[in-house]
Amino acid sequence: MWWRSASFILDRQQEQNTNLPPNPESLLLSSPPPSMADSLQNPKPDISAYYQTRAAHHAVVTSDWLAQAQAAVSVQTNDDVSSGSDGRVAPTCGGTGGDNKTFSVIDEFNSWRKQPDLAEAVAAIRALAAVIRASQATTMMELEIELKKASDSLKAWDATSISLTAGCDLFMRYVTRTSALEYEDFNSARYRLIERAEKFGEISYKARRIIAMLSQDFIFDGCTILVHGFSRVVLEVLKTAAQNKKHFRVFCTEGRPDRTGLRLSNELAKLDVPVKLLIDSAVAYTMDEVDMVLVGADGVVESGGIINMMGTYQIALVSHSMNKPVYVAAESYKFARLYPLDQKDMGPALRTIDFGVPIPSKVEVEKSARDYTPPQYLTLLFTDLGVLTPSVVSDELIQLYL
Amino acid sequence: MDARRMSRAVPRVRQVGFFTPNTPAKQPQPQSAAPCSESPPLSDSPASNSLSPVMIPPPRHLSDNLGGRTAAVPVPGRENSGELPTVGSYNPSESVLSLDSPPRSRIGDEELSEGAESSLGWYRRSDSAKFASSLPSGGFNLSTAKHPESVAAVEAKNPLPEQSEAQKEQASSSKPLKAKTTKAERRALQESQRAAKAASRAEANKSGTPGGAPSSKPMKQPPQKKDGPPVASSIAASERIGVDRSVEKERKKDLPPPRKQFDDESRGGRAKRRSVLNQPEARNRVELFRHLPPHKNGTQLPYLGSKFFELHEKHPAVYKVGLQYLAGDLSGGNARCIAMLQAFQEAIRDYSTPPEKTLTRDLTSKIGGFVSFLIECRPLSMSMGNAIRFLKSRIARLPLTLSESEAKTTLCSDIDRFINEKIVLADKVILRHAATKIRDGDVLLTYGSSCVVEMILLYAHELGKQFRVVVVNSHPMLEGQKLLRRLVVKGLSCTYTQLNAISYVMHKVTRVFLGASSIFSNGTVYSTVGTASVAMVAHAFRVPVLVCCEAYKFHERVQLDSICFNELGDPDAISKVPGRVDVNYLDNLTDKQKENLELLNLKYDATPSDYISVIVTDYGMIPPTSVPVIVRGYRKEYLLI
């Protein structure tokens, strides 16, 4: 039960006082966890909730974990992590649903989030749509404020998740943008908002399919694709290619520390796609054989670069220097209004790393879960808006937000 | 008539396709203003027929901006010489070009305006083009209302008696040609009458009133009238196009004048003749940069001061700002732009429309005159060009129902809003964006003295961020010291160094903040000379380069180097070091020796977009590749304000 609220609280606490005394226990992770559930049991505070969710979706999710999660959702307000945390959770969650309502966006979001196939941003979009539906506001202004509050609380729930933030922002833009709403009476306007929200959710939900279709032109017979990390879009792309009877093989990086590459290779093996597993450090070694690099993205930032699982940057660098194309498959709800200038220019998203052996506590461990790949190392982005060059991302974002 | 209708469709198609909608109207215009073309009959009609949009901006500027002084002079004489031979070849060209006559007759004010192109067509067309281009809301075509006034205007500028004779001559010479149709006869008759009226000022005044009355009444019509011929089908569409067209015109017209190539003999000569200031000698200037206007230093101040009472058409406020530019008291893109706009504001407040002129047109040419004066004092920056363009579009878009005082207050408040929204508030937004990129422990490097960067640094300091500043400076301007002083006074810890040491200090730097004079749509940053080297060194050291620039400084031009367009500084400034008498190696050179010496003091340089990590602007932080999006959006926006 600790994970949701604790990470949330810790995310907030990190912003306020960055120096939590590091749990020495967390550094001494010794045995490699056989399943994700095992590592989840270890209360390690400085973990990004976003990567928790991903871990839950991508790795084996045990039924008891789910049960615990459900329980946590139902009894969220009296989480028993620490008394201090309750005080923090309650007002934030209370504020979301409105003072006189029992509805909470976070709950809604969490229930959507449980669906393993549903991206976090889409879950957020659906949760926000539910806010409109459940709202008892009587004016557009009220509704908008309520929506704003809900999206803010969602964003605050996990500040490390780029797609959640971006999804909320996009939803707000998409839903509340038109001024035509002002001329209708409230009920029809509200109805229209709901309609639009559902449409947006639908679009976002279908985005993966669109991307898979768009990217087929780029996968040719006999090509070798290097894949890093586990991305559902990338999997969809490869799956569609396999269904289209394309002959290609895939190199999967191992994807330490959460071994997402292993998971992807499993999935691909099920599709009878020839797969080769590489350790993360063998990228440059194998790059000669590779025809293209295909990665997903946690977020696409305004410069046109991407934020993705740790290691993407170095793969992009290697492939750039060897003149191999780097393709990114990302849904447009991951377009975020961020502009990192360098690697350290983002809020940290930390995760545990297990080295298999005890690490002396004096030794520092780089725990960041993601890195930023600048746009000059990317060739094309496959998005549901079309196949874009990195510079178009910012154009789209400007048009959307201005 | 059918043939005409057919051919009328042609320009229509071109209009939709590309931005040539006004080429037919425009083409004759440079010809009329350019007295140097050799063979009028040949060059005129083909040029007006051909599709090639040959446009020479400087003459237009000459005629528009300088209004009174020079433009009109060549016109009548040229008309005289050019018209007679043209007549024969003109008529076919008219039918091919499908002038505006048929639709106009359809509109119904035929007897008012019909006469125009039949007899005086060539002249009138050129005339109208001039007006249309000087009057973007335009859409006024060759209606009668315009005509007497235009003639009067020409005459006012140029009291040559041959004007009316020229017109009469035209009228009579073109009359036989058109004699086949009775309508043409009527037109010709009317035309000659009108010309006769225009002959004397008094009569022009008198005819101005009847002419002026319809002009104010059908003011709503002009777009239709103008677009009627090509569009005829949908008036709504045509109106939109009319707007677009005026926008185009405005844009073209406001291409920053420094494009003038100063090494061009003929034009340079003319520029010299009409300039208020004495042009410095072009000797000892670097060959590659001869096309740039030479630097005018403050030594001409007394001279200009003495001419104060001669140049009465310049408003004192504008005059003052011009002198400040000249003396170098005002520097920095924003400061110069604000000063200019405020001077215009004052001039507008003191403005009163002369009799038988409309505010929109007269004020535009007035402003044009001011601008050309300011250009003489110092070449305009891009931002000022944008601001002027804004102002002119505002003037052009004034509703015609407004009274003069209302129009003036509207304009003044528009200027205030521009200053406030596009400069002051934009800076505040930029501050907020840029401050998010400053972290504790950063070492920020800045070059020269940019007011936005200064504000950012102070703002971040106020936020309590712990950082150090490296101020880099370079020799002739040494403006970094001003910045340094203000920063040190506010308690920031600073390092000061010269540009020479940039590669040494860059090791420690984590962010480079630069200001910009303008940003072009290919992402090239046009800024104080030396900026490019700072950005390149930073890029080589993998230090992010942030360029802070308000969106109103963005320009749609594309520039690849710093040679085509630049500004020359005082060459003496680099040969002498102030306060160092021992550095006198270049003193006491004989004239002969000086001939071997070329001094080059450039003011700006262009930084390629590759070296720029991010542009911080009032629309947020954008990569240099997105500048065109902002430029497009911005253009729309400031037209809608």
Side-chain angles (χ1 to χ4, degrees), chain B residues 135-199:
Chain B
L135 183 74
S137 78
F140 305 87
N141 211 358
L142 332 158
S143 73
T144 14
K146 303 303 150 321
H147 184 57
E149 189 175 321
S150 71
V151 170
V154 169
E155 275 212 323
K157 293 161 190 166
N158 165 43
L160 291 176
E162 62 188 272
Q163 166 71 42
S164 63
E165 272 153 35
Q167 288 195 355
K168 273 176 195 160
E169 213 169 356
Q170 286 161 8
S172 59
S173 66
S174 56
K175 195 169 175 177
L177 275 170
K178 285 284 180 174
K180 291 164 229 158
T181 65
T182 56
K183 192 193 270 176
E185 256 179 4
R186 257 190 289 132
R187 281 187 217 154
L189 189 70
Q190 208 178 27
E191 193 49 54
S192 61
Q193 282 171 351
R194 202 173 297 134
K197 267 188 207 165

Side-chain angles (χ1 to χ4, degrees), chain A residues 302-304 313 337 339-342 344-345 376-377 391 394-395 398-399 402, chain B residues 437 439 511 542 544 546 613-614 619-626 629-630 632:
Chain A
E302 217 169 341
S303 61
Y313 182 35
R337 287 215 90 184
Y339 205 123
L341 294 171
D342 50 32
K344 298 288 163 65
D345 204 8
Q376 61 260 38
Y377 303 113
S391 60
S394 133
D395 299 2
I398 290 172
Q399 274 164 13
L402 294 187
Chain B
K437 292 294 169 205
R439 293 167 304 187
R511 297 268 189 275
R542 304 196 55 80
L546 295 91
S613 317
V614 59
Y619 292 96
M621 288 180 282
I622 60 165
T625 49
S626 291
V629 184
I630 300 280
R632 281 197 295 269

Side-chain angles (χ1 to χ4, degrees), chain A residues 33-74:
Chain A
S35 78
M36 219 53 205
D38 211 1
S39 73
L40 283 172
Q41 241 86 61
N42 282 326
K44 279 172 296 296
D46 0 50
I47 300 178
S48 145
Y50 176 65
Y51 288 94
Q52 289 282 317
T53 317
R54 285 179 65 84
H57 282 170
H58 298 161
V60 188
V61 180
T62 54
S63 52
D64 63 329
W65 187 86
L66 268 182
Q68 282 174 327
Q70 292 297 344
V73 171
S74 51

